[in-house]
Amino acid sequence: MTKEVDTKLLDRLIDRAEKGSVTARVGYFDDSGKHPRTKKTAADIATINNNGSVKANIPARPWVTDGAFEGEFPTHREMRKYYERFVTGELDLKESLRRAAQEQKFRILQKYDEAPAIYANNRPSTIEKKGFDMALFDTGWLQDKIDVKVYEGE
């Protein structure tokens, strides 16, 4: 089964975004602060959890990349909806992109919530240290740090 996607509206939105120098980003940013216990940034922790670490014996649990990939079609639908509202003047370009990026953020967080059921379990030593067996979850700090930012002039 194949699925066709009409990208004409999306292409026009991207063209307008490029001409207007507006960019939306979803992720972990340098200004998200450092984890209170590990002193690592949210970006560092997300990268280690997503890609794994041979040195630290942490398996890859690619919730960020899987969530972003699974969010492509829903985000495309959202961009199409917000583009139509942008064309009619109901929303400005920044708000259109911000709302579409929120959909991508939702998909990544959804995959984070599903992670304990679909990715590698914690090792017994990790369970003992944490006091429970829930992969990718310690305090909830990382979940709160994913953000959407819209930039102009980049």
Side-chain angles (χ1 to χ4, degrees):
M1 179 176 149
T2 60
K3 180 171 179 131
E4 259 184 63
V5 178
D6 175 16
T7 61
K8 290 177 187 164
L9 285 173
L10 179 58
D11 291 342
R12 286 196 298 255
L13 179 58
I14 291 168
D15 285 345
R16 285 196 183 202
E18 287 173 349
K19 288 176 185 165
S21 297
V22 177
T23 305
R25 294 192 176 135
V26 180
Y28 294 95
F29 300 94
D30 290 338
D31 63 357
S32 64
K34 295 191 177 196
H35 189 275
R37 185 175 44 79
T38 67
K39 305 302 183 215
K40 292 184 184 296
T41 67
D44 289 340
I45 294 169
T47 299
I48 291 167
N49 284 321
N50 192 74
N51 301 330
S53 169
V54 173
K55 182 180 175 183
N57 199 21
I58 297 172
R61 296 176 177 117
W63 56 278
V64 174
T65 50
D66 287 355
F69 178 75
E70 290 176 16
E72 282 185 27
F73 281 120
T75 300
H76 179 269
R77 277 194 309 272
E78 291 300 301
M79 287 187 79
R80 185 180 176 121
K81 179 173 70 176
Y82 294 125
Y83 174 77
E84 291 165 359
R85 292 175 69 189
F86 167 66
V87 168
T88 64
E90 190 177 339
L91 293 174
D92 68 9
L93 181 59
K94 280 178 71 172
E95 184 61 17
S96 298
L97 288 173
R98 188 192 68 72
R99 289 184 183 193
Q102 288 287 73
E103 176 65 26
Q104 192 75 44
K105 174 184 171 181
F106 169 76
R107 296 297 168 163
I108 293 169
L109 285 173
Q110 186 176 37
K111 188 55 67 177
Y112 185 93
D113 289 341
E114 296 169 1
I118 58 178
Y119 299 123
N121 294 326
N122 285 326
R123 294 182 327 219
S125 61
T126 302
I127 296 167
E128 186 177 324
K129 185 169 108 180
K130 288 170 68 170
F132 57 91
D133 184 16
M134 192 169 169
L136 294 178
F137 187 84
D138 189 15
T139 63
W141 181 85
L142 191 61
Q143 283 175 298
D144 294 337
K145 297 301 176 184
I146 192 167
D147 201 3
V148 169
K149 292 191 178 191
V150 180
Y151 301 92
E152 283 191 76
E154 280 196 6

